[in-house]
Amino acid sequence: MSHILDVDNLQVSFTTYGGEVQAVRGVSFHVNAGETLAIVGESGSGKSVTAQAIMGMVSTKNGQVKDGEIIFKGKELTTLPKKKIQALRGSEIGMIFQDPMTSLNPTMKIGKQIEEGLFKHQKISKNEAKKKTIDLLKLVGIPAPERRYRQYPHECSGGMRQRIVIAIALACDPSLIIADEPTTALDVTIQAQILDVLTAIQQERNMSIVLITHDLGVVAEVADRVAVMYAGVVVESGSVDEIFENPQHPYTIKLLQSVPSSELAESQRLVPIEGTPPDLFSPPQGCPFAERCPFAMEVCVEYMPEEQLFSENHYAKCWLHDPRAAGVKEQFAGKEEVLW
């Protein structure tokens, strides 16, 4: 299957009053044509910064892509001139932002905001732009699109605003959509509707989607593959079935254990992940999860583990899968805290 996007050893840092924050530390993944890749992890794990780097939106005032490659359809984006990145943004790569109230302009009517991208990237008349905009509003499931076209964002509900943001991202028929927490702050019913809209449009247009979220329920419903991030590193990646049914990194397992389930007995409690993520001003030299991992060994603290393959697309960075650590799992056999 052909890759539409390849990210290799991406490193992004920010200079602050307290020093350098190493937000993304060697992230690598790919996205196939027509598939959905979910990037999951706790807040602060580097998910959104990775998306911003792909879009060429890392602030040049205090941010820097220090190393790595981002190759989209054969083009290396990290070295592409600013004007060419801007030409790709919106036309080839669309982005659905996390909060529609901050990404939409409150002083502009909805129709004008959708038309902006059309006028920038396509040679199109005002009448054609208006027709296409109304068609886009229909496509994302907004009733009375002609009336909504003339309204301002504050006149719409949260679900409607999120659909408008999706319409803006889809306006120029991009082949890749980056959706950064597209269902945050929406109730369950509206969340399901938004996901249905995205899935239907993806199938219709054969789009690829990078879905950034911390909601594993959303991941299970819409994703094909999953990349699990922690402290700026991808610690595990695989298909949805592999991640949910056969997780191989302690962090992934702890994430799954902390999700509420209808099968959870009344006597059982959710299992929190003890501790806090590491300080990215001075990130650990070894496994970033070592301080919170019940299986941590000396080697985990001192050295970053290499990828251990479990299938063609499933890998985890964990010393427990090194042949020399075979006896460690046996020590925990029969105990409640055992993960495997």
Side-chain angles (χ1 to χ4, degrees):
M1 190 176 292
S2 61
H3 297 181
I4 192 171
L5 176 71
D6 279 284
V7 177
D8 182 34
N9 192 36
L10 180 65
Q11 299 178 35
V12 183
S13 293
F14 295 90
T15 303
T16 71
Y17 66 92
E20 181 184 348
V21 179
Q22 299 177 43
V24 176
R25 305 185 298 128
V27 163
S28 299
F29 60 84
H30 70 271
V31 182
N32 295 317
E35 80 165 350
T36 298
L37 171 73
I39 302 179
V40 303
E42 292 173 276
S43 297
S45 61
K47 306 185 300 297
S48 293
V49 174
T50 299
Q52 291 166 11
I54 295 169
M55 294 292 291
M57 296 173 63
V58 173
S59 170
T60 54
K61 290 183 179 180
N62 63 346
Q64 181 185 6
V65 177
K66 301 194 73 172
D67 200 359
E69 293 181 330
I70 302 171
I71 299 175
F72 173 72
K73 288 185 172 181
K75 297 178 182 177
E76 164 57 288
L77 301 188
T78 60
T79 57
L80 213 60
K82 188 175 180 179
K83 285 188 177 179
K84 291 190 176 181
I85 281 283
Q86 290 176 341
L88 279 176
R89 194 186 300 153
S91 62
E92 290 283 344
I93 307 174
M95 187 157 184
I96 301 169
F97 292 95
Q98 185 170 348
D99 184 358
M101 275 310 288
T102 56
S103 56
L104 292 174
N105 188 333
T107 67
M108 285 180 64
K109 292 182 179 180
I110 289 163
K112 298 301 180 186
Q113 296 193 54
I114 299 174
E115 288 173 347
E116 271 190 324
L118 294 172
F119 288 134
K120 182 173 182 178
H121 297 292
Q122 298 179 2
K123 293 180 179 180
I124 192 170
S125 68
K126 288 185 177 181
N127 287 337
E128 289 173 326
K130 182 176 180 179
K131 182 181 182 302
K132 186 164 185 179
T133 297
I134 290 172
D135 288 342
L136 281 165
L137 292 173
K138 289 178 182 177
L139 180 66
V140 297
I142 292 181
E146 293 84 358
R147 179 165 59 89
R148 297 294 182 185
Y149 175 90
R150 300 187 297 272
Q151 291 183 328
Y152 291 92
H154 73 269
E155 297 179 87
C156 301
S157 66
M160 289 286 188
R161 289 193 292 266
Q162 192 63 67
R163 291 169 189 265
I164 292 163
V165 171
I166 293 173
I168 292 172
L170 294 172
C172 296
D173 300 318
S175 49
L176 174 66
I177 289 285
I178 299 175
D180 189 0
E181 301 277 8
T183 57
T184 297
L186 299 177
D187 63 53
V188 176
T189 304
I190 301 302
Q191 174 178 289
Q193 292 173 3
I194 295 297
L195 293 175
D196 287 344
V197 166
L198 271 178
T199 303
I201 294 171
Q202 178 188 31
Q203 292 173 352
E204 180 181 323
R205 300 189 177 188
N206 195 35
M207 277 187 326
S208 299
I209 296 177
V210 175
L211 174 66
I212 296 169
T213 184
H214 59 265
D215 189 332
L216 293 175
V218 170
V219 172
E221 185 175 346
V222 303
D224 299 301
R225 289 188 303 110
V226 185
V228 182
M229 284 190 71
Y230 183 78
V233 178
V234 175
V235 295
E236 184 169 3
S237 181
S239 70
V240 168
D241 290 341
E242 288 169 329
I243 294 298
F244 278 81
E245 297 177 10
N246 188 31
Q248 294 296 326
H249 195 283
Y251 177 62
T252 308
I253 295 166
K254 288 289 188 181
L255 276 181
L256 293 169
Q257 288 178 344
S258 66
V259 176
S261 170
S262 59
E263 298 177 358
L264 198 66
E266 290 185 10
S267 59
Q268 291 179 293
R269 301 183 64 182
L270 293 176
V271 182
I273 305 176
E274 302 291 343
T276 57
D279 182 1
L280 293 183
F281 281 109
S282 181
Q285 61 183 4
C287 174
F289 192 60
E291 291 296 323
R292 305 171 75 182
C293 180
F295 296 101
M297 302 171 284
E298 288 185 15
V299 68
C300 302
V301 177
E302 296 179 7
Y303 300 97
M304 180 71 78
E306 296 181 355
E307 293 179 4
Q308 298 288 335
L309 289 174
F310 306 99
S311 73
E312 183 180 356
N313 291 311
H314 186 195
Y315 72 83
K317 294 180 178 180
C318 181
W319 282 115
L320 287 172
H321 300 295
D322 188 286
R324 292 166 292 182
V328 176
K329 294 181 185 178
E330 295 176 5
Q331 295 176 21
F332 291 89
K335 296 184 179 181
E336 290 181 359
E337 62 267 36
V338 69
L339 299 179
W340 284 275

